[in-house]
Amino acid sequence: MTDAVGSIDMPDAQDEVSKKARKGGKRGKKGPLGRLAQFYRQIVAELRKVVWPTRSQLSTYTTVVIIFVVIMIGIVTVIDQGFAAAVKYLFG
């Protein structure tokens, strides 16, 4: 007798796969140095996937960040001077 999923007598392939226990895998067979080497290989593989900015993009981004930081320093300085003047006025 069969239904929409499969046979009642034969379990689905997914059920068989989920019932199998994993024993160690790649990680269990390597020592500490093997795992360290694999870690560094994975780092290099991820860095190859990175889209690095061009020189002009990098200079543009750097300029924008420096201008933003200078503006924020100015705002914080004005607010700090205002608080200092207010405290000096209130407490003499």
Side-chain angles (χ1 to χ4, degrees):
M1 177 183 249
T2 61
D3 57 359
V5 177
S7 173
I8 294 175
D9 298 329
M10 298 294 288
D12 292 339
Q14 293 174 347
D15 294 337
E16 289 178 16
V17 172
S18 64
K19 289 180 182 177
K20 289 181 182 178
R22 286 187 62 188
K23 292 186 180 179
K26 290 182 180 179
R27 201 173 227 185
K29 296 180 182 177
K30 293 184 179 181
L33 292 178
R35 287 195 303 260
L36 185 64
Q38 181 184 10
F39 176 70
Y40 283 114
R41 281 194 302 272
Q42 289 174 348
I43 289 174
V44 171
E46 288 297 321
L47 285 176
R48 286 185 181 142
K49 295 177 188 177
V50 173
V51 178
W52 297 98
T54 63
R55 184 172 292 272
S56 66
Q57 288 174 334
L58 189 63
S59 63
T60 302
Y61 297 157
T62 303
T63 304
V64 168
V65 168
I66 289 173
I67 290 171
F68 177 76
V69 168
V70 168
I71 290 171
M72 291 307 295
I73 287 172
I75 291 171
V76 169
T77 301
V78 168
I79 291 172
D80 184 49
Q81 293 296 325
F83 281 133
V87 167
K88 190 174 183 180
Y89 176 76
L90 287 175
F91 299 110

